[in-house]
Amino acid sequence: MTQPATLPLVESLLDAPLPASGIAWLDAARQESRDAFASTGLPDTRVEAWKYTALRGLAQRRFAHGDAAASGRAVDPSLLALPGVEGARLVFVNGVFRADLSMLDALPDGLTLQPLSRVLKDDAEPLRFGWSRSATRAEAHGAADAFARINAASAADGMVLRVAARATIAAPVQLVFVGADGEGELAWHARNLIELGEGASLTLIEQHLGDGGQAQLATFVSDIHVGAGAKLHHVMLQNAASAANLIRHSHLRLQARSEAILHVVELGGALVRHNLQVELLGDEAKLHTRGVFMPHGRQHIDTQLAIRHQALNTASSSNWRGVANDRARGVFRGAIVVAPGADGSDASLSNKNLLLSAGAEIDTKPELEIYADEVQAAHGATVGQLDERSLFYLRSRGIPLAEARALLTAAFCRAMLDDLPNPGLREHLASLLIAQLPE
């Protein structure tokens, strides 16, 4: 761990004023998180979870706090549109809720959707336990969760979404975070609380987009609870501006007979890290994750997937693919733990990666720990180049080499989207993947 006093990034984050809520427990929790961050500082590569993601460059940057003009800053509305997707939408620009860009009229029965800033103002007490739980989780992980601590201290907005028991929300709900150029290089933070009641059903589409070229630092914490028998389909698209630095924490808790399906696409940003933690807490809970990360140029994209089976007959299936080009670096850690008492669990994880240039690098680390009986488990990872036989087959049929390489790479990535039920969204994400490929 580096001494925090010597790092411009830490100094600028500690110099930022804490949001003043006037709520005793919240102000105290924010100050405790700030103090914990000040005492531990940033993780370095000696921390195992950050072994392949050095923060030396980011630590030398200074960021101004917040964006007072974000509520009126112009944003291209075409950025927010998704083909084939209609329904409620919550939009934040540089961490500030934008009612003019959001769509909150005529919400379906059973859906409550509000910005965090409004909930904290009107009725903050129901959030107290969740806020404390997130702080406790960060404390347990020490310096590795330094950004979760600064988020707990500084976040003043985000989304609060609740689905009532046995409610089926037919149209997808969109959550959009836009990073836009502001007065200087900005740091901003957002927190999300998502709760699905027993037997509820929801599709959530989360987007992280860029509308400008300035460097920014954004942190996100999402606490997601899926009740017994509920089903969540969560699509995450990260296509931030090329100079953006994004640190995200997503924590899912699945109760008995619940199911979560995640599709994750990581494309943009300069330094991007996503800690995705899933706990299967109830018997027969199910998790399916599909992900693609495609760094290019000098990008660094790091995904940390941790799945913990804690109940009987739970199941998880994870399939992730990475493609790196130029001098980019990708990192993937897929860790599965089958805890004592989680007998009958079925867990599988696969990570396949392509390197499209000699200077690209992908570090992959599959992990599997089993402490239960009658378990089916498999995990594996590969890093390689395009298959020469497949290239030869395409070229023998008159397809130029560059086009053949693009076709094979696109097919390699698109396989992670094949089970997306919305064809318009599926084709849109596929087009973004293709656009990311080398010329």
Side-chain angles (χ1 to χ4, degrees), residues 372-384:
D373 297 323
E374 300 180 4
V375 171
Q376 298 183 61
H379 72 305
T382 61
V383 180

Side-chain angles (χ1 to χ4, degrees), residues 22 225 302 305 330 383 402 424:
H225 179 262
D302 181 348
L305 173 64
V383 180

